[in-house]
Amino acid sequence: DGADLFAVATAQGVCLVDARADGVRVETRRSQDGGTIGTLHLDDVPAEPAAHPDVDAALDEACLASAAYLFGLAERVFAMTVDYLKIRKQFDKPIGSFQALQHRAVDLKIQIELARASVAAAAAAIDGGADARAAAVSAAKARATDAAFRAAKEAVQMHGAIGYTDESDVSLYVRKAMTAGNLFGSAALHRARFAATALPAAS
């Protein structure tokens, strides 16, 4: 509601729309993850194409911020899961002592650390103005999205499915992963973008 301009993707590229123009209306509603979703309604508003190259850079920065959010989500839900493995008992032993669950937890930790490295590399590429910025950001977004989805899925399973209930905080992270995972492009979109931008340069 506080925006002065909206960046709108059109067939002609990204256009800027004045928020005060006639025919511009924003409708807000609460999202499943506790946030707010705004829907922009445009009634035949003339949109001017963005005049400077900073639009692509701004979209990459927003995508990286989304990847960092997803990485943090994965890290937090993983910590919650490890804590639960230490206190939940079966056969008079903490379930975290079972080798099968230990292996799954280690595999998940590896994916989260790979996401951490990808997000850090993308941030360095943006800060350094690297030519491979787009590829680095797409790698980070794809890895962080996959890590967040996997962490949320494993959390539900290792909590004995109580993660699906509203009473469990795990369910909040599941919904957040589903919501944030597609912001600024899904993991599949960014894998395709990475292939298009990084692989030709490498060959």
Side-chain angles (χ1 to χ4, degrees), residues 88-108:
R88 173 77 166 92
K89 290 187 176 181
Q90 194 171 23
F91 307 116
D92 295 325
K93 294 181 180 180
I95 61 174
S97 66
F98 301 148
Q99 195 173 52
L101 294 181
Q102 291 175 359
H103 288 174
R104 287 169 63 179
V106 169
D107 288 344
L108 182 54

Side-chain angles (χ1 to χ4, degrees), residues 50-161:
H52 48 75
D54 291 343
V55 171
D56 286 341
L59 290 174
D60 277 340
E61 289 181 16
C63 184
L64 176 58
S66 176
Y69 177 91
L70 286 161
F71 159 69
L73 185 156
E75 196 171 44
R76 176 63 189 133
V77 78
F78 175 73
M80 292 169 60
T81 303
V82 169
D83 287 345
Y84 186 77
L85 293 178
K86 294 176 182 177
I87 62 171
R88 173 77 166 92
K89 290 187 176 181
Q90 194 171 23
F91 307 116
D92 295 325
K93 294 181 180 180
I95 61 174
S97 66
F98 301 148
Q99 195 173 52
L101 294 181
Q102 291 175 359
H103 288 174
R104 287 169 63 179
V106 169
D107 288 344
L108 182 54
K109 178 65 173 174
I110 290 170
Q111 295 306 312
I112 292 171
E113 290 305 316
L114 288 172
R116 180 198 302 275
S118 294
V119 168
I126 285 180
D127 286 346
D131 292 337
R133 181 195 72 205
V137 168
S138 283
K141 183 60 165 60
R143 277 207 180 273
T145 299
D146 288 345
F149 274 118
R150 184 169 176 183
K153 173 185 170 185
E154 290 285 4
V156 169
Q157 292 185 1
M158 292 188 193
H159 278 76

